[in-house]
Amino acid sequence: MALKGQTALISVYDKKGLLDLAKGLASHGIKILASGGTARMLRESNVCPVSDVSAITHAPEMLNGRVKTLHPAVHGGILATDSESDGKDLAAQNIDKIDYVICNLYPFQEKISQPGVTVAEAVEEIDIGGVTLLRAAAKNHARVTVVSDVGDYSDFLAELEKSRGNVTLRTRKLFALKAYEQTAAYDEAIAGYFRKEYSNDTKYKALRYGLNPHMQPAAASVTGRDQLPFKVLAGAPGYVNLLDALDGWQLVKELKQNLHLPAAASFKHCSPAGAAVGVPLSDTEKKVFMVADIEGIDASGLAQAYARARGADRMSSYGDFIALSDTVDVATAKIISREVSDGCIASGYAPEALEILSRKKGGKYLLLEMDDTYSPPATETRTKYGITMTQSRNNATISADSFTNVITQKETGETPASAMRDLIVATTALKYTQSNSVAYALNGQIIGIGAGQQSRIHCTRLAGDKADTFHMRFHARTLRIKWKPGTQRASKSNAIDLLVSGLVPAKGGERGQWEANFAVGEVPALFTAEERRDWLGRMDGVVVSSDAFFPFDDNVFRAARSGAKYIAAPTGSVQDQAVFAAAEASGIRFIEQPIR
């Protein structure tokens, strides 16, 4: 069927399939307008009659081809609807409707990917007229068909043939969507390029590398605001540094808001190794956490919080990324200065504290200053294997109101304030672990966390084993260890961990290395099974929080062995009643925590 009176405008950079496309359109009697090199190629091939765009604009191309289609005769013809008023406007200006727009864009992304490209060269590859054609045609897809992908030419022509020229509304919608996606990606590529070139590290920050050193280049950027919400005061961030820093910051900010106490977190590989609020330290805790000699720690809630966060699991916190809710003071800086750590994020740094930390790692220690007024968008976006996923940000608030539905041990009165505090600490920490996690807490701090395990019971066991190790570090025999002069803090932590976890090698070179940490004649005797049972049996008042329901009662029994008296978890398992019965029998208050 001939479609006389219909017009197609073709303006393409990528000319693959152009001749067959034009021939197909012409076979239906569609008049073809084309711009620049597109018109020249069609004319030279002699596959169909073609008119230059200037035939309707009555204006020549100018500025070396940068202005060709930007004209009311073009865009009026594309944007006009079938309404009577639009028809009168077109008639008054002697403009004809354009029914098909076939356009693809200058290859800006390819250009900037080439080495050594200058800004001037990149600018010349920014398509103006083409983007305008696509957006105009896509906007008026109720009437106009826009084809922006060379790969769609054959389907487009097949539908023209099948429908005798009446491209369906569904097809026009899909083509319009693709055009919008292409122009959005094109604009983001341009914005990303200039964000990198012009923002002076305010909106764009190059990273040392991605998740692994071979994953380069890598960068962090922000849109919709004038600058990134953090400043780099020292060092150079990597990809994982920022993942840990930003999750750690959210964790400590929430703890501070909900408990009104300074908060600290020790992050490793995208999960917290420890988290705590500023609860005063006993002399024994100071010794266990290796901070007994820190001047001013009794007056610094922030230093107390980090001593607890780092001290919870010193082995896992080795090389951590630190998050602190408050301005870093001298006492806190002194603790950090002697620990192996990758970096720190905080709302600010006291001048002397900044001076101390700026010397760490020869000035390469990463220090981030976070804007504590920053509020992120409500929607988060992630791209994985070329697929973009979006979700609402996890803005669930964990507070005392989260733990009101008491299921077992109801007759024992109100949940103590200390236990409520620890429930908030444990449950807030779980928000920032890899999914499927369990946390044990006591005295305002995490004492064991099992993060990202495939099995719930393995989460509970892992966290419980860490809690047991934590408690064994307070045993009198552990506290009396005499070290060989010069033994490093990391070596002490490892030697203690082997001793209290019962994993000291029986013989060989590793056993010799372990014994070499102690003063001559002072190698500690290994803990007997009876000693461990006796000491661990004294654990009490521990809270346990789970980010999903317990599928079986074995989780409760394992938690009970590590002194659990309070469990918070969602419900919904077919074994809920067995879980509740186990908690009741173990003297544990089970509290339904509704947020999974």
Side-chain angles (χ1 to χ4, degrees), residues 13 73 247 261 272 283 286 314 437 465 472 507:
Y13 179 89
D247 273 347
L261 291 168
D283 289 342
K286 291 177 187 176
R314 289 188 58 82
S437 299
D465 291 348
M472 288 297 297
K507 58 183 179 180

Side-chain angles (χ1 to χ4, degrees), residues 276-277 279 285 308 418 421-422 441-445 447 470 541:
V277 291
V279 175
E285 287 174 323
R308 290 184 179 279
S418 60
R421 172 202 62 205
D422 295 344
L442 184 69
N443 294 334
Q445 69 175 93
I447 61 171
F470 174 86

Side-chain angles (χ1 to χ4, degrees), residues 386-409:
I387 308 300
T388 299
M389 296 169 282
T390 60
Q391 66 172 2
S392 297
R393 198 170 70 85
N394 186 355
N395 58 3
T397 299
I398 308 300
S399 69
D401 292 338
S402 306
F403 308 103
T404 58
N405 187 15
V406 177
I407 296 176
T408 65
Q409 296 289 305

Side-chain angles (χ1 to χ4, degrees), residues 401-528:
D401 292 338
S402 306
F403 308 103
T404 58
N405 187 15
V406 177
I407 296 176
T408 65
Q409 296 289 305
K410 295 181 179 181
E411 70 284 353
T412 56
E414 295 293 323
T415 302
S418 60
M420 188 65 72
R421 172 202 62 205
D422 295 344
L423 285 167
I424 292 171
V425 170
T427 308
T428 304
L430 290 178
K431 282 182 64 177
Y432 299 100
T433 62
Q434 300 298 306
S435 180
N436 215 35
S437 299
V438 172
Y440 292 51
L442 184 69
N443 294 334
Q445 69 175 93
I446 297 296
I447 61 171
I449 197 159
Q453 303 300 301
Q454 287 78 16
S455 165
R456 180 66 41 179
I457 186 58
H458 286 152
C459 295
T460 306
R461 289 172 182 167
L462 176 59
D465 291 348
K466 287 177 178 284
D468 292 351
T469 296
F470 174 86
H471 190 59
M472 288 297 297
R473 288 160 55 200
F474 287 80
H475 193 283
R477 287 215 292 114
T478 310
L479 296 173
R480 290 198 300 265
I481 288 175
K482 295 182 180 180
W483 301 101
K484 181 179 71 176
T487 303
Q488 300 295 312
R489 299 165 67 83
S491 297
K492 291 179 181 180
S493 297
N494 187 53
I496 291 171
D497 190 74
L498 289 171
L499 175 66
V500 302
S501 60
L503 297 176
V504 175
K507 58 183 179 180
E510 191 179 1
R511 175 63 178 248
Q513 288 181 356
W514 179 75
E515 292 181 351
N517 291 295
F518 309 106
V520 176
E522 297 292 345
V523 176
L526 305 187
F527 285 104
T528 66

